[in-house]
Amino acid sequence: MAVKKSELYTSLWKGCDELRGGMDASQYKDYVLTLLFVKYVSDKYAGRKDAVIEIPEGGSFSDMVQLKGKKDIGDGLNKIIGKLATANDLRGVIDVADFNDSDKLGKDKAMQDRLSNLISIFENSSLDFSKNRADGDDLLGDAYEYLMRHFATESGKSKGQFYTPAEVSRILANVIGIKHAKSQDQTIYDPTCGSGSLLLKAADETEKGLTIYGQENDNATAALAKMNMILHNNPTGEIKQDNTLANPLFLNPDKTLKTFDYVVANPPFSYASWSNGLDAENDLYERFKGFGIPPTKNGDYAFLLHIVRSLKSSGKGAVILPHGVLFRGGAEGTIRTNLIRRGYIKGIIGLPANLFYGTGIPAAIIIIDKENALARKGIFMIDASKGFVKDGNKNRLRDQDIHKIVDAFNNQTEIEKFSRLVPVAEIEANEFNLNIPRYIDSQEQEDIQDIEAHLLGGIPLADIDALQPYWEVYPALRNTLFKKNVRPKYVDLNVPKEEIKATIYNHPEFKAYKAEVEDVFNGWKKSVVPVLEVIQIGDKPKHLIKEISEDLLNRFSNLKLIDKYDVYQNLMQYWSDTMQDDVYTLVVDGWLAGRVVEKQDKKREWEGLLIPKALVIQKYFQSEQQTIDDLQLKRDELSQQLSDLEEEHGGEEGLFSEVKNDKDKVNKAMVQKRIKHLEKSVNKKQLSLAAEQVYDYASKEEYSDADEFMMLSRWINLTDKISEQDKLIKEAEAKLDEALLKKFGLLSEKEIKDLIVGDKWLHTLNDAVHSEMNRISQKLTQRIIILIERYQETLLTQIQKIQVLEKKVENNLTKMGFTWQ
């Protein structure tokens, strides 16, 4: 039975993180990812003839398992990895981490336990890569991505640069059109490839793949990149290690720079030592010729010009650089001018701050396109700085942010405050400064106070006109809400303030628009149900979510007011939170996995693996649940009576003062003991009188023994009834639980599909769309109320109120004997 991927990755990270000891995450990743590599190649290639990776005798993960608990485990792991490295020419690649380093892993028993536990983590039967497809839908790819993100997060600013966030990688790949690559012979290159994450994510956006090239200066990181090529089924990906600027290693036979179809890069920002080992004035590769030499202490343009020279005549590239490259002057201004004049810069995308693991500063994507460069008349700019979500101590792009950026750029769609095609002539008029705010004003319009309205009343017509997107959908609603003021530039509210929300919700135009939105969503549901209900073992979940999400986005594209990307994000967020785990289970185990139940932490507690118990109860056991609810309601009523009784007579002099424990709680044993004592002094006549006066106990200054006896007896009676009610509830719940468990085991495939697809997935998404509708109406309501409250009291009204208050103060002071001039 498949384990939910989210649970598997969470436990994998927690286990790894707990075992890292004194190392920071940037070092510990080398150990964890080496074991991941050995586990993967052992699962995938052991025993196979002519495999890409040879698994030698004594060089597999199963050999590692045999070392668990042994004193020489560290040395033994090094030897196993060494054999695997030697057999596959991977020396210096997979044997970089020393598993016998006592300074990092602890001495003797500490090392023995740490490494044994680390092996056990990867021994998990759910981490079986023998059927791994490595096509973007596989267990390994997502496990790797999950680990790398967490390692980068934990590594800190100075050590997290080995990883480019997958969301940013997807943007780079899509804005340079990698998905249009026609064959695997086409090439992609990253001159500062780090662990290879950007290259791999970019290549993954193609149907047939690409030929991969990468260079990385850091030896350990380059080794990691080579491992990752194999881990992601790109064993022919060529990774070289050295300083790209001083010693580029991808050259043609004539020693000129090799050129590529696509280039992507996330170089170190403003690298001060970029010219070490390089004579920039006499660069052998002519990277700066015709553009200018970058500043000695800032390498941003050095990397950019290396990319330009590394592109074929029709090549396309995208590089992540700090915003300073857009506006800094001097040598950089000269280079920027020359790039613009040659038409090489196709676009600029400003990203939110704090996205990257090596720095918190905002960055921009510079898109280079040599094809038709001479004919280029403008640069397409996007200000995407405001679209993100907080994720721990970092910001993260949402699916909707990525899609909006890619759509706008690829379609060259101009969106107010977000994107526009800026003519080169306008850029030249701004002295070739590319600072995005010069061309796109993304600031929210200031909410201006209207002095005349504050003086004389009325709502400014300009504020109402600013709500035009609403009036385009609800034209008659405007006249329902507002009426003319005596002054032509102002209006008054036409309904009571407290009825604004109801007026909007009940207006025929609002209802009609709501029905239109529901029709669109229902049309999407009708189209996806057949797709979802035929999910079968072996299907590709990521292909599925792409198909249904794009369909949803397209259907909402023609609706005004509601943001199609907001609707799309609801689906993608639900996919990430819940639906993804469900689908991955279905493609491994089939629909009958809907019968599976899982035990919870608490004894005898359980829940459906794919179907929540609540859905089955709602569909098949409503009457049984109603019985339980009625019993619970009766129990709550009794509990309230008991609580009221204790509160009424629980004071220091109250009837319960002598039956409380040291925690100031009424104690049943003490109550029973007190009742027995009182029985000796209370006669039937006293009890009768006490019963008649029960309503007046609270006003009594003194209580008789009969009063106390009656009240304590009532307390016992209520607690007994509550106990009896608890017993009935427990019995009813047990009976329902038994029937429920039996029903789970008998669910037909059709019932399972109805429950998962209709009652779980689509019902949740339907609620999300309704929430979007509510958000739209709430925003309109809130804005109108703000305007009403802002101008409802004129200055004259406020002055009059102040005068009344001043008069009251004067009168009070006079009464107190104070006088003043």
Side-chain angles (χ1 to χ4, degrees), residues 688-726:
S688 177
L689 289 172
E692 291 174 5
Q693 297 174 5
V694 68
Y695 65 91
D696 198 30
Y697 283 176
S699 63
K700 285 194 172 186
E701 294 183 3
E702 293 185 9
Y703 299 105
S704 66
D705 288 351
D707 295 334
E708 185 179 359
F709 183 88
M710 284 292 297
M711 203 54 59
L712 294 178
S713 297
R714 285 186 63 196
W715 188 92
I716 288 290
N717 181 258
L718 283 170
T719 55
D720 287 345
K721 286 182 177 180
I722 290 171
S723 296
E724 179 62 27
Q725 205 69 13
D726 285 337

Side-chain angles (χ1 to χ4, degrees), residues 190-206:
D190 184 344
T192 57
C193 69
S195 63
S197 58
L198 176 52
L199 273 172
L200 290 164
K201 276 292 177 185
D204 193 45
E205 292 291 326
T206 67

Side-chain angles (χ1 to χ4, degrees), residues 433-451:
N433 187 312
L434 294 178
N435 198 22
I436 297 173
R438 285 195 176 216
Y439 307 101
I440 299 174
D441 180 10
S442 63
Q443 299 300 312
E444 292 296 326
Q445 188 172 351
E446 186 179 355
D447 197 5
I448 299 173
Q449 301 279 339
D450 187 294
I451 296 176

Side-chain angles (χ1 to χ4, degrees), residues 565-605:
Y565 293 107
D566 286 339
V567 178
Y568 169 81
Q569 182 61 29
N570 278 297
L571 170 57
M572 298 309 293
Q573 189 62 53
Y574 184 59
W575 172 262
S576 176
D577 293 342
T578 302
M579 193 175 171
Q580 174 179 225
D581 276 338
D582 291 350
V583 174
Y584 271 93
T585 300
L586 293 173
V587 300
V588 172
D589 299 316
W591 285 97
L592 292 184
R595 293 177 178 174
V596 176
V597 299
E598 294 180 311
K599 290 185 178 180
Q600 305 292 301
D601 293 334
K602 292 182 180 180
K603 190 177 180 181
R604 296 185 66 182
E605 288 291 322

Side-chain angles (χ1 to χ4, degrees), residues 134 223 250 256 396 405 408 417 439 581 613 624 644 646 676 723 763 801:
F250 292 104
T256 58
R396 179 170 55 82
I405 292 168
K417 295 185 178 295
Y439 307 101
D581 276 338
K613 288 195 291 187
E624 290 85 346
D644 292 344
E646 290 178 353
K676 281 189 176 182
S723 296
H763 179 77
K801 282 187 175 181

Side-chain angles (χ1 to χ4, degrees), residues 613-622 625 740 759 763:
K613 288 195 291 187
L615 289 184
V616 181
I617 291 171
Q618 184 179 10
K619 196 150 193 171
Y620 300 104
F621 299 99
Q622 283 191 15
Q625 184 61 50
L740 195 56
D759 298 338
H763 179 77

Side-chain angles (χ1 to χ4, degrees), residues 537-585:
I537 294 173
D539 278 354
K540 298 178 180 181
K542 289 181 182 175
H543 288 191
L544 170 71
I545 185 58
K546 185 174 183 180
E547 177 186 347
I548 66 173
S549 64
E550 291 299 316
D551 185 16
L552 181 68
L553 193 67
N554 290 334
R555 287 174 184 271
F556 275 84
S557 294
N558 296 323
L559 280 176
K560 293 181 179 180
L561 210 57
I562 195 166
D563 189 328
K564 64 180 180 180
Y565 293 107
D566 286 339
V567 178
Y568 169 81
Q569 182 61 29
N570 278 297
L571 170 57
M572 298 309 293
Q573 189 62 53
Y574 184 59
W575 172 262
S576 176
D577 293 342
T578 302
M579 193 175 171
Q580 174 179 225
D581 276 338
D582 291 350
V583 174
Y584 271 93
T585 300

